[in-house]
Amino acid sequence: MAFIQLGKFSMGWGGGNNRFIKTPSPIGRLFGQNTREEWVTISGHEYEIYKTTPEVNIVFGRFAEMLSNGRWVHKRNDGTKEGKVIEDSPLVTFLERPNPLQTGEEFIKEGCLHFWTFGNNIIYPVFGSSLSTIPSVMNNLPANYMKVVKTGKRWEQDTIEGIIEKYILENYYESDKKEFKPSEIIHRRYIDPENPVVGQSVMEALHMPISNIRGAYGFRNVNITKRGALGFITNSSDDAIGNLPISANDRTKIEKQYSKETHGIHDDQAPVAMVSGDLKWVSTAYEINKMMLFEEVSEDMKKIIDKLNLNDNIFSKEKASTYANLREGLKMAYQDGIIPFAQDYASAISKGLRLPDNEWLELDYSHVAALQDDDVKNSQVAERNARAIKTLVEAGYTKEEATKLIMKDEK
């Protein structure tokens, strides 16, 4: 089983010297290059697969887009579960523009795509001094060019420095080599049971669906652009021995009459071809609909959607979702996928930005329209119940009796 390759990249977490060497590809052959190679694994080719597989790109991108809808909130422990919001927090102002090239939304999207594509999101906050409480700048480091140097120890270690010696950024086109201390890095990982230090791309678990998607697109592409002859013209005439071949003269006439120069729909072409002989047509075209390639891609895309805890109704498909299903799908995607991810993400940022123990950051989605339905409904129910209780009290019931009656009706 092989992936259709659109350019081979060598990249990953091994720390080799040729992380970004691109070899000629099938697209390159259109421009005179003839080398062809095939992929047999996800590992090392994550970025190219993400970039050239529409379903992967769409689902990962949608997750990142929805995640970036969150608004940063800085809170302090005040004895309640929710905590108290710190108004006009300079940290929130910083997170809305963490570096010169990105807005806060773009920063979140990029980090999210790194996480799903490479299994690692490595964040580098730069503090002006050891006393600074807010970074001067913060960037997502290119996860596919990072090398983790381990100490070789783990089980007895009680600090990250005891497990990781350093991080190294190398072979990146803007930097020859740069090293980072573990304390300088915020590292989020997609859990790899065999490697607790470095994450694994979620695409590893989706190897088969992704391979099927690329195979289906590749087959359709080859069938459309490179299948050659649509069929053959053969001679149906035979003698005592068997089927007769078409003579050289007849073949020349047939080829000329079927050529685009002499026959076609334009004024200087003949619309009808006249041939002699008993001929028949043998088609070599594939019946794409019988292979159910479109259905295959749709089913495989659902596996990617499920893996990221999103919802099929929020993506375009042959039969569009109803408005109600779309709203419900968005709500479920936020509740099951986006918000849990955002909680882990905000927790990691909080720990990495030197916040006091009684403070933390959150990404708030209460403003998202799809999540407003329950709040509106609950508000309407509460208002209705309050009016009913008031009416019963006026009729002679105690407030406690009226409340019990209303709650019983609610159940």
Side-chain angles (χ1 to χ4, degrees), residues 163-180:
I163 300 171
I164 298 176
E165 179 182 336
K166 58 186 174 182
Y167 290 82
I168 301 176
L169 172 62
E170 59 182 356
N171 298 318
Y172 189 53
Y173 71 95
E174 291 181 345
S175 172
D176 292 331
K177 189 173 183 179
K178 184 173 177 61
E179 297 185 0
F180 307 88

Side-chain angles (χ1 to χ4, degrees), residues 229-243:
L230 300 180
F232 300 94
I233 296 174
T234 63
N235 193 352
S236 296
S237 303
D238 53 33
D239 57 14
I241 298 176
N243 195 256

Side-chain angles (χ1 to χ4, degrees), residues 36-318:
R36 175 172 180 171
E37 299 178 28
E38 292 183 335
W39 292 332
V40 293
T41 63
I42 293 280
S43 182
H45 311 294
E46 296 91 348
Y47 176 62
E48 194 71 2
I49 292 171
Y50 156 75
K51 189 172 67 171
T52 60
T53 309
E55 282 66 27
V56 173
N57 194 293
I58 290 168
V59 178
F60 286 11
R62 188 63 184 274
F63 192 105
E65 187 75 34
M66 293 174 69
L67 183 70
S68 71
N69 287 334
R71 294 174 179 171
W72 285 111
V73 178
H74 186 183
K75 289 187 174 183
R76 179 182 294 115
N77 187 358
D78 65 349
T80 65
K81 182 180 178 180
E82 294 77 15
K84 180 181 180 181
V85 175
I86 300 175
E87 301 292 344
D88 301 321
S89 167
L91 182 56
V92 170
T93 301
F94 166 76
L95 290 170
E96 291 172 349
R97 189 79 187 190
N99 63 68
L101 293 177
Q102 294 178 312
T103 63
E105 290 83 0
E106 291 169 335
F107 178 85
I108 291 174
K109 289 178 192 176
E110 181 184 60
C112 180
L113 292 176
H114 283 190
F115 183 88
W116 290 126
T117 304
F118 304 111
N120 297 274
N121 178 200
I122 302 178
I123 304 168
Y124 178 42
V126 180
F127 292 89
S129 72
S130 59
L131 300 177
S132 299
T133 57
I134 298 176
S136 56
V137 66
M138 187 165 68
N139 285 283
N140 295 297
L141 296 180
N144 48 323
Y145 291 97
M146 297 297 297
K147 177 182 177 182
V148 178
V149 180
K150 305 172 189 176
T151 63
K153 305 174 184 179
R154 179 192 171 192
W155 305 113
E156 297 82 11
Q157 306 306 311
D158 58 0
T159 65
I160 193 66
E161 288 79 9
I163 300 171
I164 298 176
E165 179 182 336
K166 58 186 174 182
Y167 290 82
I168 301 176
L169 172 62
E170 59 182 356
N171 298 318
Y172 189 53
Y173 71 95
E174 291 181 345
S175 172
D176 292 331
K177 189 173 183 179
K178 184 173 177 61
E179 297 185 0
F180 307 88
K181 299 176 183 178
S183 59
E184 296 178 306
I185 294 296
I186 303 171
H187 186 178
R188 299 184 63 247
R189 310 162 181 83
Y190 182 78
I191 296 175
D192 179 358
E194 289 191 343
N195 190 345
V197 177
V198 178
Q200 179 187 75
S201 173
V202 72
M203 288 191 284
E204 294 284 358
L206 297 167
H207 179 108
M208 295 296 288
I210 293 174
S211 181
N212 291 345
I213 289 170
R214 293 181 70 88
Y217 276 117
F219 185 88
R220 283 158 54 187
N221 179 261
V222 169
N223 197 49
I224 292 170
T225 64
K226 298 180 181 179
R227 65 184 175 187
L230 300 180
F232 300 94
I233 296 174
T234 63
N235 193 352
S236 296
S237 303
D238 53 33
D239 57 14
I241 298 176
N243 195 256
L244 293 172
I246 299 176
S247 68
N249 288 336
D250 283 345
R251 176 176 175 175
T252 300
K253 292 178 182 178
I254 292 170
E255 288 178 344
K256 183 177 180 181
Q257 291 190 15
Y258 268 86
S259 70
K260 64 180 180 181
E261 288 83 5
T262 60
H263 287 73
I265 62 173
H266 300 293
D267 292 340
D268 57 346
Q269 294 177 323
V272 179
M274 306 297 293
V275 297
S276 60
D278 188 6
L279 306 179
K280 68 178 180 179
W281 169 260
V282 179
S283 175
T284 60
Y286 296 102
E287 296 186 56
I288 300 295
N289 62 319
K290 290 186 178 181
M291 300 187 71
M292 301 184 72
L293 296 179
F294 296 96
E295 291 82 356
E296 176 66 37
V297 169
S298 178
E299 287 302 311
D300 292 325
M301 183 175 179
K302 289 180 181 179
K303 301 299 185 293
I304 303 174
I305 294 169
D306 289 344
K307 187 64 180 175
L308 270 63
N309 291 316
L310 295 179
N311 189 280
D312 182 46
N313 285 307
I314 69 175
F315 295 91
S316 61
K317 46 190 176 180
E318 184 180 353

Side-chain angles (χ1 to χ4, degrees), residues 304-354:
I304 303 174
I305 294 169
D306 289 344
K307 187 64 180 175
L308 270 63
N309 291 316
L310 295 179
N311 189 280
D312 182 46
N313 285 307
I314 69 175
F315 295 91
S316 61
K317 46 190 176 180
E318 184 180 353
K319 293 183 179 180
S321 299
T322 64
Y323 178 75
N325 286 343
L326 175 59
R327 298 275 298 185
E328 189 63 24
L330 284 169
K331 184 192 302 182
M332 293 179 66
Y334 271 107
Q335 292 175 346
D336 299 340
I338 302 301
I339 293 177
F341 187 97
Q343 290 172 341
D344 290 342
Y345 179 68
S347 177
I349 296 289
S350 298
K351 292 177 181 177
L353 294 187
R354 304 179 180 178

